[in-house]
Amino acid sequence: ISKNLRRIAYDAGKSQADISRDLKINKATVSSWMNGTRVPRMDNIDMLCHYFNVSRMAIMEERSEDNYYLSPETAALAQELFENPKIRVLFDAARDCSPEDIQMAADLLIRLKGTNK
């Protein structure tokens, strides 16, 4: 649970102090949840779920880094996106494009890939 809470808080940009203040929970209690010396009661897990907008499973499920994604292909793509800044630029640019523009860019990239063989 502590590993999941740390990851969820990090992803949300929340510090232990933020969580303590926002949920009106003692800082030492939040710290003990985060470092794994104590486990939150179910009512507190539900409060954390609501606060972070995640499921109970997201907080309570034991998972390894290897099975974070359901498919190995998705995991490999996410890793490549994480490691390659040029791909991230394309991904970020695609967020603001119309489906037609994305298709045009994809077609262009496919053609360029074909001419580079």
Side-chain angles (χ1 to χ4, degrees), residues 6-75:
R6 287 191 308 270
R7 178 184 46 76
I8 291 166
Y10 176 82
D11 289 348
K14 298 290 185 178
S15 68
Q16 290 183 24
D18 294 331
I19 298 165
S20 174
R21 181 192 63 244
D22 295 345
L23 297 180
K24 297 175 179 43
I25 297 172
N26 184 295
K27 288 180 185 179
T29 300
V30 173
S31 177
S32 70
W33 294 344
M34 295 293 201
N35 67 31
T37 57
R38 292 182 61 204
V39 175
R41 294 185 326 243
M42 282 309 293
D43 61 327
N44 288 324
I45 287 176
D46 288 339
M47 182 172 38
L48 290 163
C49 290
H50 181 72
Y51 179 70
F52 289 114
N53 194 28
V54 297
S55 67
R56 280 184 180 173
M57 190 168 44
I59 292 177
M60 299 177 68
E61 177 183 73
E62 186 173 342
R63 62 170 72 183
S64 72
E65 294 303 314
D66 295 336
N67 70 1
Y68 182 78
Y69 294 99
L70 296 178
S71 118
E73 181 184 10
T74 302

Side-chain angles (χ1 to χ4, degrees), residues 96-113:
D96 298 325
C97 291
S98 69
E100 295 81 16
D101 288 343
I102 292 172
Q103 185 61 54
M104 184 175 64
D107 292 342
L108 176 62
L109 289 170
I110 289 167
R111 277 190 246 122
L112 288 172
K113 185 177 176 183

